[in-house]
Amino acid sequence: MSPRRNRPKGAGSSGPSAEDDRSGRYGGWQSAESWQGEEWNVRHVAGASAQGKAYRCPGCDQMIPDGVPHVVAWPDHAGVDDRRHWHKACWNAKDRRTTRVQRSRNTPKF
């Protein structure tokens, strides 16, 4: 009986290449989507990567508590300052939402 191999029988690569690693620093995966005639970069953020940070979702205007998985989206032509953090459900429902968000009386206007 031969010993078990723990390494792939590949061509000797030392690990995944930069092109294979689309996860970035937040541990999620990134894709490109078209919305409102623009290309958007969409990154899915794992909850463990969002520890200690809270964001306000532009879809529902509610807080995304720290440690909750969510989506970060920004236009392809924009920079870091234009990234927005969305609840996953809000990002998926962005085409079904009205243009005017209804706030409750006690919601702060950020």
Side-chain angles (χ1 to χ4, degrees):
M1 180 189 233
S2 62
R4 187 177 107 178
R5 291 182 187 231
N6 290 330
R7 293 184 196 97
K9 296 180 184 178
S13 68
S14 62
S17 68
E19 288 181 6
D20 294 339
D21 182 28
R22 300 198 66 192
S23 64
R25 89 184 231 213
Y26 296 109
W29 53 275
Q30 185 171 330
S31 63
E33 294 183 23
S34 180
W35 181 46
Q36 295 181 341
E38 290 185 277
E39 288 297 316
W40 287 71
N41 295 312
V42 180
R43 180 175 293 152
H44 296 263
V45 178
S49 300
Q51 291 293 340
K53 303 170 199 159
Y55 304 99
R56 183 164 298 275
C57 175
C60 64
D61 202 35
Q62 299 297 315
M63 293 301 291
I64 302 173
D66 66 330
V68 173
H70 60 279
V71 173
V72 179
W74 66 97
D76 193 33
H77 61 82
V80 175
D81 293 335
D82 294 321
R83 292 184 298 186
R84 297 293 174 257
H85 296 255
W86 295 67
H87 291 106
K88 287 184 181 183
C90 293
W91 177 255
N92 292 335
K94 64 190 174 297
D95 293 327
R96 296 188 304 267
R97 292 193 174 274
T98 61
T99 56
R100 189 170 162 211
V101 175
Q102 298 291 323
R103 291 189 173 103
S104 67
R105 289 184 204 152
N106 298 331
T107 304
K109 296 179 181 177
F110 286 71

